[in-house]
Amino acid sequence: MRILLVEDEDRIASFVVKGLQAEGQTVERASGVTEAKYLLSERTFDLVLLDLMLPDGHGSEVLATVRAGDRDLPVIVLSALGEVDDKVSLLDMGADDYLTKPFSMRELSARVRAHARHGQAVSHTLVAGDLELDTRTRCAKHGAISADLPTREYALLEYLMRHAGQVLTRQQLLDAVWGFDFDTGSNVVDVYVGYLRRKLDIPGEPSVIETVRGAGYRVRA
Ligand code: CA
């Protein structure tokens, strides 16, 4: 998919661009209303991620341009907490969804998948090696073991399984599961990997989540 990101804050923009590119999406960024309107007139996109407070205007101007073009282009608004009052009017104006900052990469990619214009039928079971994860019930299975996972544990395992075979650094996992506001020095990833291992590892067999020394973690494909 080709995604237009309209966001003036570099830190958030680079978080979103890197995360979506890692999932195979093509992302173009506009840092203001004028640039966004220009890109919309020049290129075709499958989805727009739209910040509201922009240096040269308000995101609603971009939304109006999208809708005036009679497009059924999905628009997801990325709004800060104080802007939540705008939510109703934006949905009235034709935004399809909104996400409140700060958000995690996992939340964002779930919304992006939900609104993907060319969305294919999505299977509800992720499989990696001998691990299975039901994305509706959040139940993980490993051999005879099955465990219902709380939100963060589920999010961590889902992300690892969607990138099975790849080594993911702690920072990548923090960004994906906890969001861009989380402290880099935190050992929360190791703690949650520990929780998952305790629930899903089979004694005497290799762990479901492999530690790659000096690099990060990996779930076998
Ligand atoms: Ca902004």
Side-chain angles (χ1 to χ4, degrees), residues 68-194:
D70 191 27
R71 298 177 188 233
D72 58 354
L73 182 59
V75 176
I76 302 175
V77 167
L78 309 175
S79 72
L81 269 179
E83 297 162 2
V84 167
D85 286 348
D86 294 342
K87 182 175 90 190
V88 174
S89 62
L90 281 161
L91 293 176
D92 282 346
M93 281 182 64
D96 296 276
D97 205 348
Y98 67 94
L99 208 50
T100 305
K101 296 175 183 175
F103 49 81
S104 69
M105 200 51 226
R106 194 187 73 89
E107 290 171 286
L108 176 62
S109 44
R111 297 301 169 88
V112 166
R113 277 199 301 276
H115 292 280
R117 192 143 63 156
H118 309 296
Q120 316 91 327
V122 180
S123 160
H124 295 291
T125 307
L126 282 178
V127 180
D130 48 6
L131 262 182
E132 277 185 32
L133 183 63
D134 187 313
T135 58
R136 283 170 306 178
T137 61
R138 301 188 167 183
C139 179
K141 288 204 176 105
H142 182 217
I145 298 174
S146 82
D148 292 318
L149 302 178
T151 306
R152 294 289 186 195
E153 291 172 40
Y154 167 79
L156 178 60
L157 187 62
E158 185 201 11
Y159 196 79
L160 283 161
M161 288 177 72
R162 286 195 190 277
H163 298 83
Q166 295 176 33
V167 181
L168 299 170
T169 65
R170 286 174 179 79
Q171 190 59 49
Q172 282 175 309
L173 293 167
L174 268 180
D175 284 350
V177 179
W178 282 269
F180 52 80
D181 269 6
F182 226 83
D183 177 18
T184 312
S186 167
N187 71 341
V188 68
V189 172
D190 309 270
V191 171
Y192 275 76
V193 165

Side-chain angles (χ1 to χ4, degrees), residues 7-9 51-55 83 101:
E7 170 64 68
D8 60 311
E9 258 182 82
D51 178 34
L52 295 183
M53 297 306 177
L54 295 164
E83 297 162 2
K101 296 175 183 175

